[in-house]
Amino acid sequence: MKIMKSSNKEKIKENHNKIIFITGTPGTGKTTLANVLESKFSKNYNFQIVKINDLAIENNLIDGVDSDKGYNIVNVQKLDKKLNEVLDSFFNEKDLNDSKLKISIVEGHLSHLCNCENVDKIIVLRLNPKILESRLKSRNYSEYKIHENLEAEALGVCSVEAYQKYGTKVNEIDTSDLSTKEVFKFVEDIIFNKKDFPVGSIDFMKWILGGY
């Protein structure tokens, strides 16, 4: 995993309010990470988590269900609009904690598909497909959904999509051999511009070729 230290110019921006997207293939640990961030950050910052899947469901942004794949079909355009409304409300709200840094974490594998010009970082969690396969089986995913997600992970689909939209704002972390504590530390360093984990250094293509 390639690590780059950020420039002094970036470090100057450490103390401004932050919008962070956490994305990745289902099963890579996004929800666990978001919960850890909430437990750590809510003590010192004005903090919120937006769970993108819940936002879509609670606001009736589901256009239907893909009968072949079993997925909800989310209206991304409407989701995009709603997400920006939620973010604007949070950052424009006046309260007793206004002296604290505001951090909004947007968690979910659809987050990187939304347009947000003020987003600071997009963090893609990656996972060895062999480990991911075990996790998805424990969630009772169908064989079709498991294979589709494993293929997406091996090809780095979330990273590619995120990079196409947000460029160098995107970081990716291989969580395969990391504890939750270690993942949190890497993410904290990304959020506060201490380290970068550029897209392109994680390669799971061996799974496609039968190497795992």
Side-chain angles (χ1 to χ4, degrees), residues 26-37:
T28 52
K30 300 180 297 297
T31 301
T32 298
L33 173 61
N35 291 337
V36 172
L37 287 167

Side-chain angles (χ1 to χ4, degrees), residues 42-200:
S42 58
K43 301 170 186 176
N44 299 314
Y45 308 109
N46 195 336
F47 180 83
Q48 76 162 358
I49 287 182
V50 180
K51 297 190 175 185
I52 203 77
N53 290 345
D54 291 348
L55 188 68
I57 293 169
E58 291 167 2
N59 290 277
N60 298 314
L61 305 179
I62 309 297
D63 286 343
V65 177
D66 187 312
S67 57
D68 293 327
K69 299 179 180 179
Y71 293 140
N72 287 330
I73 301 171
V74 177
N75 188 314
V76 176
Q77 186 175 3
K78 290 181 179 179
L79 179 63
D80 185 358
K81 182 179 179 181
K82 186 62 183 179
L83 174 61
N84 279 281
E85 288 175 359
V86 170
L87 293 172
D88 287 344
S89 176
F90 176 68
F91 286 104
N92 292 327
E93 184 180 23
K94 301 293 183 182
D95 57 40
L96 296 177
N97 292 321
D98 268 355
S99 60
K100 290 184 176 181
L101 181 72
K102 287 188 174 183
I103 300 177
S104 181
I105 301 290
V106 181
E107 177 265 315
H109 74 280
L110 296 175
S111 60
H112 68 275
L113 299 179
C114 295
N115 294 302
C116 179
E117 63 180 21
N118 294 319
V119 68
D120 291 273
K121 301 283 184 179
I122 296 86
I123 300 171
V124 184
L125 299 187
R126 303 293 306 278
L127 186 65
N128 184 308
K130 195 67 178 176
I131 302 172
L132 182 60
E133 181 178 17
S134 178
R135 289 188 185 178
L136 297 181
K137 283 182 177 179
S138 72
R139 296 183 180 187
N140 295 318
Y141 274 41
S142 69
E143 287 299 319
Y144 178 88
K145 286 179 70 175
I146 290 173
H147 182 79
E148 185 177 53
N149 280 296
L150 294 180
E151 188 173 76
E153 181 60 21
L155 294 172
V157 170
C158 288
S159 294
V160 172
E161 290 176 342
Y163 189 82
Q164 288 174 339
K165 187 178 288 288
Y166 290 107
T168 56
K169 289 184 177 181
V170 183
N171 289 252
E172 58 177 1
I173 300 174
D174 182 357
T175 65
S176 304
D177 298 316
L178 299 178
S179 67
T180 301
K181 184 177 180 180
E182 288 170 325
V183 174
F184 165 76
K185 180 56 181 171
F186 282 143
V187 168
E188 183 179 39
D189 285 345
I190 292 170
I191 291 173
F192 293 104
N193 299 305
K194 295 178 180 178
K195 292 178 182 176
D196 287 320
F197 298 82
V199 170

